[in-house]
């Protein structure tokens, strides 16, 4: 019904099987946006007998989507996305209508679409902050991102309720202390994680990302989180490389409490069909210090026979038994 009986940009937008993006063909995803859904109302506005504007509202009468075509045959699609704070964030895409090309009259730009998606993610990140804030881009892969969070009773109870965690230690205070789940190690870095995934270093492909894993290592002897704990997080990028399906980014987080490390977290994301320029790819391998102790002079002599072993730069220094190295 939306296509109409006459040839027009609306007819092409609804009936075309593909959209030309630069030198490639992409599936016409606009048809999925326009398919009929219960409660939605679509209104087509006419000008000179042909469609000039399409609006779609939801069951509450709130505007969801608009599509219009300018005089220069530029089609502008705008989706009114709601953030977690119910702030409306517009998401716009542009296409060109070429009626002379019967099979593929709708043309777009993958670069422009990727830029629009990244802008949507950044605008949503700012809207979800709840307070006036500015998105600080990360343009250097060596950048260290720091943040902090104080665990409150309201936040802890709300989190446990949302995930269905009814453990008694998170509901009832014992000896005046209310514990909080160790999942706060994830909560505290979520905002900075999204910031890094929307940065210039990461590039495009936000909606094509797949969360591969979280590897959490708790420090020996670290006590459970408690209400009023102040957590500090230091985040770094450990790698941005290309795989066959797409690019992979590894993020590393160190969670501290009272100046002492509580946990180390490594997260990895795969972004399908998007790749990083080989000149910008990198991967870091944190070196783990290993301490050994040689108990006898014979063991020391066997080690010193290797040409690659140098005890220290001072050639006069000698290695003695039971000295840690």
């Amino acid at each position: 019904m939306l296509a109409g009986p006459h040839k027009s940009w609306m007819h092409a937008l609804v009936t075309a099987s593909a959209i030309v993006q630069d030198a490639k063909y992409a599936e016409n995803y606009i048809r999925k946006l326009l398919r009929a859904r219960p409660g939605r109302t679509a209104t087509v506005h006419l000008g000179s007998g042909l469609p000039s504007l399409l609006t779609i509202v939801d069951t509450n009468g709130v505007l969801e989507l608009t599509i219009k075509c300018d005089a220069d045959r530029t089609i502008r699609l705008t989706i009114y996305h709601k953030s977690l704070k119910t702030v409306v964030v517009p998401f716009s895409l542009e296409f060109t209508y070429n009626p002379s090309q019967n099979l593929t009259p709708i043309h777009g730009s993958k670069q422009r679409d990727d830029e629009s998606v990244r802008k949507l993610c950044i605008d949503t990140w700012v809207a979800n902050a709840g307070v006036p804030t500015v998105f600080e881009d990360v343009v250097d892969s060596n950048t260290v991102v720091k943040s902090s969070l104080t665990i409150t009773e309201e936040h802890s109870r709300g989190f446990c309720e949302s995930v269905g965690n009814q453990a008694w230690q998170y509901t009832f205070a014992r000896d005046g202390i209310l514990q909080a789940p160790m999942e706060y190690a994830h909560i505290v870095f979520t905002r900075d994680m999204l910031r890094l995934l929307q940065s210039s270093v990461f590039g495009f492909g936000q909606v094509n990302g797949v969360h591969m894993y979280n590897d959490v290592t708790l420090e020996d002897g670290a006590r459970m989180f408690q209400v009023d704990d102040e957590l500090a997080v230091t985040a770094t990028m450990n790698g941005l490389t290309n795989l066959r399906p797409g690019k992979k980014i590894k993020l590393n987080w160190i969670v501290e409490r009272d100046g002492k490390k509580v946990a180390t977290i490594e997260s990895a994301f795969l972004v399908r069909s998007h790749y990083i320029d080989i000149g910008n790819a990198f991967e870091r391998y944190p070196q783990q210090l290993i301490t050994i102790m040689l108990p006898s002079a014979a063991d020391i002599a066997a080690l010193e026979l290797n040409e690659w072993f140098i005890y220290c730069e001072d050639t006069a220094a000698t290695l003695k038994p039971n000295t840690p190295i």
Side-chain angles (χ1 to χ4, degrees), residues 52 56 71 84 95 103 105 114 118 122 126 129 172 229 247-248 256 267 286 300 305:
S52 61
I56 296 179
L84 296 177
F95 308 91
L103 295 179
D114 286 341
R118 180 170 176 247
I122 291 175
V126 172
F172 302 99
D229 277 350
K247 62 183 177 182
K248 176 184 176 182
E256 296 182 338
S267 298
I300 295 175
L305 287 175

Side-chain angles (χ1 to χ4, degrees), residues 1-18:
M1 294 179 63
L2 291 177
H6 305 292
K7 185 178 180 179
S8 67
W9 65 270
M10 180 70 73
H11 184 277
L13 200 62
V14 174
T15 60
S17 60

Side-chain angles (χ1 to χ4, degrees), residues 35-52:
R35 71 176 184 267
R37 292 186 178 90
R40 299 176 84 200
T41 302
T43 304
V44 179
H45 302 261
L46 302 179
S48 302
L50 294 176
S52 61

Side-chain angles (χ1 to χ4, degrees), residues 279-296:
N280 297 328
F282 67 93
E283 190 160 14
R284 298 187 178 94
Y285 297 93
Q287 295 183 352
Q288 182 179 2
L289 296 179
I290 300 176
T291 301
I292 62 173
M293 186 177 296
L294 302 178
S296 67

